[in-house]
Amino acid sequence: MSATPQRRGRARRLTLAALAVTAGAGALVTAALPAGAAVGGGPAGKGTVDVQLLSFNDFHGTLEPPQGSSGNVTELQADGTTKAIPAGGVEYLATSLREARKGHDYSVTAAAGDMIGGSPLLSGLFHDEPSIEALGKLNLDVTSVGNHEFDEGRAELRRMQYGGCHPVEGCYEFGKTFEGASFKYLAANVTDDKTRRPLLSPTYVWKKGDVKIGFIGVTLEGTPDVVTAEGVKGLKFGDEVETINKYAKELQRQGVQSIVALIHEGGLPASGAYNFDCNVPGAGAGISGAIVDIAKNVDPAVDALVTGHTHQAYACNIPDPAGNPRTVTSAASIGKVYTDTTLTYDRATKDIVRTAVKSPVTGNHVVRRDQPKAEDMTALIQRWNALAAPVAGRPQGYISADIPGRGSEAYEKPLGNVIADAQLEATAAADKGGAQLALMNPGGIRSDLAYKASGSEGDGVVTYGEAFTVQPFTNMLNVVDLTGAQLVTALQQQVSGPVNGANPKILQISKSLSYTLDMTKTGADRVVTDSIRLNGEAIDPAKTYRVVMNEFLAGGGDGFTVLKEHKNKLVAKSDLDAFNAYLTAHSSPSAPLAPPATGRITVIK
């Protein structure tokens, strides 16, 4: 990061209690003390009060329990094996948070962005108004914006905050006007190009009695790389560290010493289990990714970091620039996990005490589905489902088994193959674009296709609502000219460059394309160029090929900058229409679509 945080002039003995994870969420961690601090006494005496911080991230409008393997949480067992636990659904999330708050006089709930966007039909059909309403009922106090808050542009984001009916579709419920979010959206590092002022509030101060905790909210600086250009038009996204450090000082000038940063950027723990101990063998040793450098450079004045974006679950101790322990947490995604952190507030100094402790203070918890549903959330879902039913319940196709997509950790996902083949089939005819191959970004696959019925349609039936959940962005397909050399570069950009070098994004490809990915190598060399074949023939670097992809990829999204160099663009139907047409054409009740074989990408590990 370019920012160099400045340390405070006065001795800083307080901050956040050292991270310790419960027995069900990893081993106890005892952090090193700031110089001069005492264990078991001193600043944590009778002048303190414990504040509960409940947090989550990347909700993505997922009101109903997510289907298939994408709705599972991985739990590490004592013997080293793992167990899949079905989790999520706002009815259960509400119950979990309400139960967690019991016995806590001081409790604040915060989130780290992507509350909406990429949402299932129940929320997405109504431009996420149902999710904003549900989040208010969860008693969410504050969240940072995420990249997906910009999917429909700045005006729509501001409508989410301040209310008003949709400018084109109007009000969805007779006699009701959308009131906007009851919680605060923060966008400290998102500024207007012309005014240079933040798009939304940069900070929020939570107060109860004499206790005050300040929140700073930022999204990833690289948001323009992962959102369509139209969604971020006229906006600038600033450096996360510089922005947080700037507003930390501003909060201190206002007399707020207890500060939490909500950051829509995250890390990659060495294990996908929510209870993996990322502090073994040392503080923060088991996590990598952008959040590590951010955490190491954010001013020590900030007492905790709540993060997101990578859809991972972790609760780590990453030392601040002064070398003192500081918690960095993330709660997976789509409401499957929440984090419970204890902030010990010193009334004399108005700051958070960071001392070594012997009792757990931070942990991630699964939103289990074997608990009672929150009745108000059930009523909310039923109300909006009634409005969505005429569209959502229409059958689109039939499947013989689960087709893994979002829930698959493989580079080549069975559902990715279906989507890529659907896009190729929709545009292969000469009058439809003449496409020879299809490329699909993995992040655009938002769910699995589950065999088990989500409603009354019957097992194996794919409804419009379920198809929409898989492809919610309704991106238009672009058929373009790319040279063989540009195509090779695009494949190399999956595993190299500033965006994908550390966290590869493997494109899903149509059945016409094949190649070998050698993960024992580094960077662009991971793509074995002489293995790339189109319909069995080697790619010619000088030849021009017709390639279909969604408009997000065609605009260079997800770090695939070479794809912006395309020529001779033809705009075809939407990705969702192509997907539904393929399901209809290739399945019936008596001949359902089976999960396709993989093997288009040969992976060497």
Side-chain angles (χ1 to χ4, degrees), residues 400-525:
S400 63
D402 288 356
I403 304 182
R406 190 72 174 189
S408 170
E409 296 183 0
Y411 287 143
E412 182 185 344
K413 307 176 192 302
L415 189 52
N417 287 353
V418 173
I419 291 170
D421 287 349
Q423 295 182 1
L424 177 60
E425 186 168 293
T427 57
D431 63 340
K432 302 295 184 183
Q436 297 167 277
L437 66 140
L439 303 175
M440 173 64 193
N441 57 307
I445 306 170
R446 306 304 297 183
S447 182
D448 298 342
L449 273 186
Y451 177 78
K452 184 176 176 58
S454 60
S456 60
E457 73 276 8
D459 291 347
V461 180
V462 180
T463 65
Y464 184 88
E466 291 166 341
F468 184 97
T469 297
V470 171
Q471 295 256 266
F473 301 113
T474 318
N475 276 316
M476 302 308 293
L477 295 180
N478 289 184
V479 188
V480 302
D481 282 351
L482 290 175
T483 65
Q486 289 170 327
L487 181 59
V488 171
T489 298
L491 295 178
Q492 291 173 331
Q493 287 181 341
Q494 300 176 111
V495 289
S496 64
V499 177
N500 300 331
N503 184 21
K505 292 186 181 71
I506 305 303
L507 295 167
Q508 305 300 285
I509 57 177
S510 58
K511 59 186 176 183
S512 55
L513 189 66
S514 63
Y515 70 97
T516 296
L517 195 60
D518 187 349
M519 297 305 290
T520 66
K521 297 182 179 179
T522 59
D525 289 340

Side-chain angles (χ1 to χ4, degrees), residues 293-493:
D293 283 341
I294 291 173
K296 289 180 178 178
N297 287 284
V298 164
D299 195 305
V302 176
D303 300 307
L305 278 58
V306 176
T307 73
H309 188 55
T310 57
H311 291 201
Q312 302 297 308
Y314 48 84
C316 295
N317 243 340
I318 300 177
D320 68 17
N324 298 325
R326 180 164 58 191
T327 61
V328 180
T329 67
S330 176
S333 66
I334 57 177
K336 296 185 293 185
V337 173
Y338 72 93
T339 310
D340 189 338
T341 304
T342 298
L343 305 174
T344 300
Y345 183 91
D346 188 313
R347 284 191 158 105
T349 61
K350 302 178 182 180
D351 212 335
I352 302 300
V353 180
R354 282 196 223 179
T355 60
V357 292
K358 296 182 180 180
S359 60
V361 295
T362 300
N364 279 326
H365 304 268
V366 177
V367 177
R368 307 183 75 97
R369 298 184 198 166
D370 56 1
Q371 60 182 318
K373 296 179 180 180
E375 293 181 0
D376 59 333
M377 293 300 181
T378 300
L380 180 149
I381 288 172
Q382 290 173 343
R383 195 178 93 241
W384 287 102
N385 261 332
L387 292 174
V391 174
R394 294 199 307 257
Q396 302 298 310
Y398 305 85
I399 57 176
S400 63
D402 288 356
I403 304 182
R406 190 72 174 189
S408 170
E409 296 183 0
Y411 287 143
E412 182 185 344
K413 307 176 192 302
L415 189 52
N417 287 353
V418 173
I419 291 170
D421 287 349
Q423 295 182 1
L424 177 60
E425 186 168 293
T427 57
D431 63 340
K432 302 295 184 183
Q436 297 167 277
L437 66 140
L439 303 175
M440 173 64 193
N441 57 307
I445 306 170
R446 306 304 297 183
S447 182
D448 298 342
L449 273 186
Y451 177 78
K452 184 176 176 58
S454 60
S456 60
E457 73 276 8
D459 291 347
V461 180
V462 180
T463 65
Y464 184 88
E466 291 166 341
F468 184 97
T469 297
V470 171
Q471 295 256 266
F473 301 113
T474 318
N475 276 316
M476 302 308 293
L477 295 180
N478 289 184
V479 188
V480 302
D481 282 351
L482 290 175
T483 65
Q486 289 170 327
L487 181 59
V488 171
T489 298
L491 295 178
Q492 291 173 331
Q493 287 181 341

Side-chain angles (χ1 to χ4, degrees), residues 209-352:
D210 61 342
V211 175
K212 294 192 294 185
I213 297 177
F215 291 86
I216 304 166
V218 299
T219 189
L220 66 154
E221 184 181 7
T223 291
D225 296 326
V226 293
V227 175
T228 58
E230 190 62 29
V232 294
K233 186 176 180 181
L235 297 174
K236 180 180 179 181
F237 292 78
D239 181 275
E240 303 95 335
V241 173
E242 290 178 356
T243 304
I244 292 169
N245 291 351
K246 170 187 173 182
Y247 284 103
K249 290 178 174 58
E250 184 166 309
L251 284 170
Q252 288 179 300
R253 284 194 291 270
Q254 297 172 17
V256 178
Q257 303 298 335
S258 300
I259 302 171
V260 176
L262 308 175
I263 309 172
H264 191 70
E265 178 60 287
L268 300 167
S271 167
Y274 82 93
N275 55 340
F276 167 71
D277 187 352
C278 50
N279 290 307
V280 175
I287 188 170
S288 60
I291 200 61
V292 176
D293 283 341
I294 291 173
K296 289 180 178 178
N297 287 284
V298 164
D299 195 305
V302 176
D303 300 307
L305 278 58
V306 176
T307 73
H309 188 55
T310 57
H311 291 201
Q312 302 297 308
Y314 48 84
C316 295
N317 243 340
I318 300 177
D320 68 17
N324 298 325
R326 180 164 58 191
T327 61
V328 180
T329 67
S330 176
S333 66
I334 57 177
K336 296 185 293 185
V337 173
Y338 72 93
T339 310
D340 189 338
T341 304
T342 298
L343 305 174
T344 300
Y345 183 91
D346 188 313
R347 284 191 158 105
T349 61
K350 302 178 182 180
D351 212 335
I352 302 300

Side-chain angles (χ1 to χ4, degrees), residues 63-141:
L63 297 173
E64 297 176 295
Q67 285 194 295
S69 57
S70 60
N72 291 337
V73 168
T74 301
E75 182 177 78
L76 186 64
Q77 305 298 296
D79 63 0
T81 61
T82 58
K83 177 182 178 181
I85 303 174
V90 74
E91 295 159 296
Y92 303 110
L93 178 60
T95 298
S96 292
L97 294 179
R98 290 165 186 172
E99 285 296 314
R101 291 185 186 116
K102 290 181 178 178
H104 295 274
D105 293 333
Y106 295 81
S107 182
V108 57
T109 303
D114 275 8
M115 295 296 97
I116 58 173
S119 306
L121 184 82
L122 179 59
S123 187
L125 183 64
F126 305 106
H127 296 275
D128 281 313
E129 290 182 21
S131 291
I132 295 295
E133 179 186 348
L135 291 164
K137 289 180 179 294
L138 287 176
N139 289 333
L140 178 64
D141 292 293

